[in-house]
Amino acid sequence: MLLKKYIKNRRKLKILFLLTVIVLIVITVVILNISPNVNSTERVLDERFIARIYGGSGGGGGVGSGMSGGRLEQPPLKSPRQNGVIVPEKYDEHKLKTRIAQERVLQLKQEQQQQHNAIEAGEEHAKLEGTTTGVHIFYSAPVAWYKTKKSQLVAPRVQLRGAAKELLNDVSDAVLSSSFATSATTLTTTVKPVRILNTAFYPALGLYRPTTSLLQKHFDNIHNCGIGVLILSCSGKSGEVALYRELLELAPSYNLSITFEISVAGNQSLEFLQQQLEALRRYSTAESFYRVYSLSRRRLVPVIYVSNAYKLSDTPAGRAMCPSQAESLRNLFDGYFIGHIRLKNHVDIMRRLCFEGFYNKLPSNGATFASTWKNWSYLKSYALTYKMLFVPTVGPGFAERNKFPRHGDIQRHRSNGRYYGVAWRTAILNHVGFINIASYNNWPDGSQIEEVMPKAGFLDYNPGAKTKYIDLTTHWVGNFLKTRHEAAAAVAVPGQPSCYEFLNNTIC
């Protein structure tokens, strides 16, 4: 009733509410300032205590000095505080990136030191007890580490001014053209070719040359993987004869055999193929030259790979591969010839040219019909139908360093070894007799299993040791041997020689 009497409109009600708020604020301020000395003293003590703890100062008032005498001194704490006040740290992007890079470098040094300690402690990668001639591996000797750009001819432009230009204007067109041609010929310069490192990985042994100690190390690694046969590329050049003879002499010490691959990519003439076979006859008397026993021929025959063999179709050299021809190349050098194929119709060409088998050379899934994993079952069944041999080629990946690869966009990432595993598993499930590995040290193609060294600007095997793909090869060779022996035992007939799965170096 009292409010209704004195407050008759909204304006007076608002004024009364505002006065009430002001009175409450004044009362609060008065209450908080009743004991200012006590609050200020506590605040000063808190500041001195914080400054002494975080700043490390010994004296900070009576209370601080009294406490320091009755307790152990502790090292000062690191904190962005000054006199009890927290100072925010400024964000510096350069310092942050520097710190992250230093931590990464320290981590890499620790990993390398652990690997070095493991090697010194005698830790070795897995080994197989024996070797098998059912697994072949491509080996490069020597490795083409560098490639060179083609030399270019540059003709600089000659600009004439003043009197020389006026003199040339008075000369006839015929004399002018001849003089210009002469000057262009004399002023042409040759640019020096540039050598470029032709590998996407960097080898752990450096850019080596084939020496006896190096070959021994390579052969020891190949033997420990269980691989029994090396495939060398034979070009017929005189410079490779001495090196290949050394390889043939060294191989028996490691229970290895050596076979050869000849190429007809650039020349498909009959004379060139005869020269290639003549070059192979130089090594045919060596103990380590790879041979298999043929039940149909009743003798040992060498196994020879022919790269780009599909190009011999409809050529005299291709027809000369058949034994029924009068001038057959088999009379010069007979063997078990396995031809290189790329497309589906190439298998028919190999059959017409009297090749005993065919193989795919490119370890890049999907690049060609023959190198596609899902097509290996068809190639295997075709080989069984016509009593031929299909040899699939597996590889850990494919990484050419060229900006524009020679074979197109066929780069294949290693995927931490999973790509290699799928290729091996597919070949094993198709129950093939031989398996080729591309390669041990074909660095230009990036398909090697040899050890690498982590280096800036190059790919590596991380995460994993430098012998990662040697260990994986040992594992898959063991699986291949186990599966092949189980399949052969299931169909073996006691007392009869069997060429199933080409065990014991026997071919039908």
Side-chain angles (χ1 to χ4, degrees):
M1 298 295 292
L2 186 63
L3 290 175
K4 291 182 178 180
K5 182 178 180 181
Y6 292 98
I7 303 174
K8 296 182 179 180
N9 52 26
R10 286 180 172 274
R11 183 179 178 184
K12 290 183 179 182
L13 181 61
K14 291 180 180 180
I15 294 173
L16 180 62
F17 178 75
L18 185 61
L19 290 175
T20 304
V21 172
I22 294 173
V23 171
L24 291 175
I25 293 173
V26 172
I27 293 173
T28 303
V29 172
V30 172
I31 293 174
L32 292 177
N33 291 332
I34 290 177
S35 56
N37 296 330
V38 177
N39 291 337
S40 60
T41 303
E42 291 178 354
R43 186 163 57 254
V44 170
L45 289 176
D46 291 340
E47 292 179 357
R48 289 177 179 176
F49 177 77
I50 293 173
R52 182 171 55 82
I53 291 297
Y54 289 95
S57 59
V63 178
S65 60
M67 291 178 64
S68 62
R71 64 177 176 82
L72 297 175
E73 294 292 338
Q74 297 181 357
L77 302 177
K78 295 181 179 180
S79 176
R81 293 175 180 249
Q82 296 178 358
N83 296 328
V85 181
I86 298 177
V87 179
E89 183 180 359
K90 295 182 179 180
Y91 174 75
D92 192 336
E93 184 178 0
H94 177 69
K95 290 183 179 180
L96 182 62
K97 290 182 178 180
T98 303
R99 179 174 58 81
I100 293 175
Q102 291 175 350
E103 292 177 353
R104 179 57 179 166
V105 170
L106 181 61
Q107 181 182 2
L108 290 175
K109 288 182 178 180
Q110 292 176 353
E111 292 177 357
Q112 290 179 358
Q113 186 63 31
Q114 291 176 358
Q115 294 178 2
H116 181 69
N117 294 338
I119 294 174
E120 289 184 349
E123 180 178 333
E124 298 180 355
H125 50 81
K127 298 180 181 179
L128 288 182
E129 295 181 357
T131 59
T132 173
T133 56
V135 181
H136 303 176
I137 189 168
F138 288 92
Y139 185 82
S140 301
V143 180
W145 295 112
Y146 293 94
K147 63 179 180 180
T148 56
K149 286 186 176 180
K150 295 181 179 179
S151 59
Q152 300 178 356
L153 299 178
V154 180
R157 296 180 180 179
V158 181
Q159 295 182 356
L160 301 178
R161 297 178 181 178
K165 186 175 181 180
E166 294 177 359
L167 181 62
L168 283 177
N169 291 334
D170 298 336
V171 182
S172 63
D173 295 338
V175 176
L176 179 62
S177 60
S178 62
S179 63
F180 180 78
T182 305
S183 62
T185 304
T186 56
L187 292 175
T188 300
T189 58
T190 302
V191 179
K192 185 178 180 180
V194 181
R195 298 178 67 196
I196 302 174
L197 187 60
N198 191 25
T199 173
F201 297 82
Y202 197 85
L205 300 177
L207 306 180
Y208 54 78
R209 294 180 179 273
T211 60
T212 302
S213 59
L214 178 80
L215 296 176
Q216 290 175 349
K217 180 175 177 58
H218 285 179
F219 282 15
D220 185 58
N221 288 340
I222 295 172
H223 172 80
N224 293 336
C225 291
I227 302 170
V229 181
L230 275 70
I231 305 175
L232 301 178
S233 177
C234 181
S235 60
K237 298 180 181 179
S238 58
E240 68 184 15
V241 176
L243 176 60
Y244 285 0
R245 289 194 181 279
E246 182 180 1
L247 291 171
L248 290 167
E249 293 175 0
L250 189 63
S253 303
Y254 297 89
N255 195 20
L256 298 176
S257 300
I258 293 178
T259 187
F260 293 90
E261 179 190 47
I262 59 177
S263 177
V264 293
N267 192 342
Q268 294 87 37
S269 64
L270 180 61
E271 294 76 12
F272 180 75
L273 192 55
Q274 288 176 346
Q275 293 176 4
Q276 295 282 79
L277 296 179
E278 286 286 353
L280 291 181
R281 293 184 60 182
R282 303 173 185 171
Y283 316 110
S284 59
T285 57
E287 177 188 355
S288 59
F289 195 88
Y290 179 57
R291 298 177 179 85
V292 293
Y293 184 79
S294 174
L295 291 179
S296 59
R297 303 178 190 179
R298 298 181 181 276
R299 59 186 175 88
L300 291 171
V301 293
V303 176
I304 305 299
Y305 292 89
V306 182
S307 178
N308 296 279
Y310 55 89
K311 294 184 178 181
L312 295 175
S313 177
D314 299 329
T315 62
R319 290 189 290 270
M321 292 296 297
C322 292
S324 59
Q325 295 291 327
E327 297 180 356
S328 175
L329 293 175
R330 306 279 183 156
N331 300 327
L332 176 64
F333 186 82
D334 193 14
Y336 202 87
F337 290 94
I338 304 175
H340 171 212
I341 63 170
R342 290 171 57 89
L343 305 180
K344 185 176 182 180
N345 63 326
H346 289 169
V347 292
D348 296 324
I349 297 175
M350 296 299 104
R351 183 171 60 87
R352 293 199 309 268
L353 297 181
C354 303
F355 278 80
E356 283 81 5
F358 47 87
Y359 73 106
N360 69 294
K361 187 177 179 180
L362 195 63
S364 182
N365 179 39
T368 63
F369 179 87
S371 63
T372 304
W373 298 334
K374 65 180 181 180
N375 297 330
W376 287 357
S377 59
Y378 167 80
L379 296 175
K380 169 67 175 180
S381 62
Y382 185 96
L384 288 177
T385 302
Y386 294 98
K387 296 182 180 180
M388 300 176 72
L389 174 65
F390 168 57
V391 185
T393 299
V394 301
F398 197 87
E400 286 183 311
R401 195 175 178 85
N402 297 339
K403 184 177 181 181
F404 301 102
R406 297 169 301 177
H407 306 290
D409 187 15
I410 57 173
Q411 311 288 338
R412 297 295 180 266
H413 298 288
R414 301 196 171 211
S415 301
N416 196 22
R418 290 189 293 273
Y419 180 89
Y420 197 33
V422 174
W424 267 102
R425 194 176 297 111
T426 307
I428 292 174
L429 290 177
N430 281 286
H431 298 285
V432 294
F434 293 158
I435 293 180
N436 290 344
I437 301 176
S439 61
Y440 182 80
N441 60 344
N442 191 350
W443 295 90
D445 285 348
S447 61
Q448 77 290 335
I449 64 171
E450 190 183 358
E451 301 97 323
V452 301
M453 175 191 301
K455 193 171 184 178
F458 294 88
L459 302 176
D460 53 38
Y461 296 164
N462 287 330
K466 63 180 182 180
T467 60
K468 177 177 183 175
Y469 287 94
I470 292 181
D471 297 336
L472 287 175
T473 303
T474 306
H475 167 75
W476 286 111
V477 170
N479 285 355
F480 171 66
L481 287 177
K482 180 181 178 182
T483 305
R484 193 169 71 152
H485 282 285
E486 290 177 354
V491 298
V493 178
Q496 295 183 5
S498 174
C499 58
Y500 182 82
E501 297 293 353
F502 310 99
L503 293 175
N504 304 320
N505 288 336
T506 303
I507 290 180
C508 296

